[in-house]
Amino acid sequence: MEQVYLNGEYKPLNEACVPVLDRGFLFGDGVYEVIPVYSGKPFRVEQHLDRLQHSLDAIRLRNPMTREQWIEVIDELIRRNTGDADAALYLQITRGVMEKRDHGFNDSLEPTVLLTCQPMNYPLQQSDTPGGCAITLEDSRWQDCHIKSINLLPNVLLRQQAVDAGADEAILIRDGRAIEGSASNLFIVKDEVIKTPPRQRCMLGGITRDLILELCNENHLLAREIDISEDELHDADEIWMTSSTREILPITTLNQHKVGKGLTGPVWAEVIRLYQDYKQQVMRGGDE
Ligand code: PDD
């Protein structure tokens, strides 16, 4: 039976319960992280814990654990569940359980901490990967999407619109600019230049995105953090969506039209190779 970590205890999933007056349940008042685990090792865990701290600060919630405690719990939960296999680690903190429903909060509540670790098959991406489909939709989310909030209703509805249209992801447009996906960041390639929107308040700063930028930089591939207009998106040679669970998904169809030649592109092939090499290096215990 899968084990979870809930408020200081490891317990079987079916015995883990949260009171109904938890602010996460009633208001979506909390933050989360999804950390990929490759061959039993949490990937870029420091960066994920940094972003967790950023989200906590933004919603004025104190971090209930030290960095060392987080690492210890993450390692122990992996050991108890998936061992040396690949997995996805989910970490959530809510503002805790109220005595009486009230929008306002005070600092007296004890945050609710939940971690799960489930087996995961990461995509086996090769140059003959067929690639995914995306559609564009107006971004209906709030302004503060840099916070990795558990309040995901707009993301859920946008993703479902994509699913209903037979697509893998929705690319969100705000004021004529392509920002990111419903649960992923956006890259395009035009004339061999890689572009991704700059970090901004209305976008989540993805850990996968940052790693791709680092790898491009180290390997002298031209990558720019720059706004992408809706027109540029439609005119791109390549489009990729990136996240901890999808890694680098090449999008070959946008709004039922081919992206470039309608096949995965050469720049994607180069970058996915760099990404896989980097993963291998980390799994062999190399430096992150
Ligand atoms: N989501 N943008 C949004 C809105 C996201 O939800 C995610 C990830 C990303 C990519 O971030 P990262 O590279 O750090 O995974 C960008 C996770 C995977 C999820 O909600 O399941």
Side-chain angles (χ1 to χ4, degrees):
M1 164 65 78
E2 183 187 336
Q3 299 253 309
V4 306
Y5 174 91
L6 181 64
N7 298 334
E9 286 178 68
Y10 297 93
K11 45 176 74 173
L13 177 62
N14 61 358
E15 289 174 22
C17 296
V18 179
V20 291
L21 289 186
D22 192 282
R23 295 183 64 95
F25 180 57
L26 291 181
F27 295 127
D29 186 354
V31 296
Y32 76 107
E33 281 295 323
V34 177
I35 307 176
V37 177
Y38 296 129
S39 304
K41 295 204 174 80
F43 192 62
R44 301 235 116 186
V45 67
E46 295 291 343
Q47 288 84 344
H48 280 278
L49 292 175
D50 286 347
R51 185 174 62 189
L52 178 67
Q53 188 62 53
H54 168 86
S55 298
L56 287 168
D57 291 344
I59 70 160
R60 298 166 53 188
L61 180 55
R62 78 184 153 84
N63 193 333
M65 305 217 274
T66 63
R67 185 64 62 127
E68 293 68 34
Q69 287 170 326
W70 283 118
I71 304 273
E72 200 182 303
V73 170
I74 289 168
D75 286 345
E76 179 59 18
L77 197 68
I78 294 171
R79 197 187 66 72
R80 287 177 184 243
N81 285 290
T82 45
D84 290 338
D86 287 353
L89 197 129
Y90 179 78
L91 184 171
Q92 164 173 318
I93 308 171
T94 75
R95 207 180 299 275
V97 184
M98 296 169 284
E99 277 180 20
K100 177 171 156 292
R101 186 176 177 278
D102 182 359
H103 287 61
F105 58 84
N106 59 54
D107 297 337
S108 64
L109 302 182
E110 197 53 47
T112 302
V113 177
L114 169 73
L115 282 88
T116 68
C117 179
Q118 299 191 316
M120 176 80 186
N121 289 324
Y122 287 94
L124 228 193
Q125 287 164 326
Q126 289 156 339
S127 41
D128 55 359
T129 297
C133 305
I135 58 169
T136 51
L137 292 174
E138 251 336 279
D139 195 346
S140 55
R141 301 172 305 161
W142 68 334
Q143 296 291 335
D144 280 316
C145 298
H146 63 103
I147 303 171
K148 203 159 169 58
S149 157
I150 59 169
N151 205 315
L152 287 170
L153 190 53
N155 305 62
V156 165
L157 293 174
L158 290 161
R159 169 63 70 82
Q160 191 56 36
Q161 254 184 280
V163 171
D164 292 345
D168 301 290
E169 184 56 304
I171 300 178
L172 309 180
I173 310 291
R174 198 184 277 248
D175 301 327
R177 291 180 294 129
I179 305 290
E180 62 176 335
S182 70
S184 55
N185 287 117
L186 169 71
F187 283 77
I188 67 165
V189 179
K190 184 67 187 173
D191 299 330
E192 287 170 27
V193 180
I194 301 165
K195 295 182 184 176
T196 191
R199 273 176 179 268
Q200 51 197 297
R201 186 175 166 195
C202 63
M203 181 190 101
L204 186 77
I207 307 299
T208 319
R209 168 192 179 276
D210 290 350
L211 175 57
I212 293 167
L213 289 173
E214 264 176 54
L215 294 173
C216 288
N217 201 16
E218 280 163 20
N219 292 278
H220 311 292
L221 295 174
L222 193 55
R224 297 176 66 193
E225 292 180 75
I226 189 167
D227 283 343
I228 298 171
S229 71
E230 196 173 359
D231 289 346
E232 280 176 281
L233 178 72
H234 290 289
D235 192 38
D237 299 330
E238 299 184 24
I239 299 176
W240 323 327
M241 308 305 299
T242 70
S243 77
S244 294
T245 46
R246 288 180 159 179
E247 299 183 337
I248 314 175
L249 173 70
I251 298 294
T252 48
T253 308
L254 178 67
N255 293 349
Q256 299 188 322
H257 296 286
K258 284 180 184 173
V259 176
K261 297 193 178 77
L263 303 167
T264 60
V267 185
W268 173 80
E270 171 75 8
V271 172
I272 194 72
R273 189 185 59 75
L274 294 172
Y275 190 84
Q276 304 292 9
D277 287 353
Y278 182 86
K279 261 169 70 175
Q280 287 299 328
Q281 178 195 326
V282 172
M283 291 185 297
R284 284 194 302 265
D287 273 354
E288 280 200 42

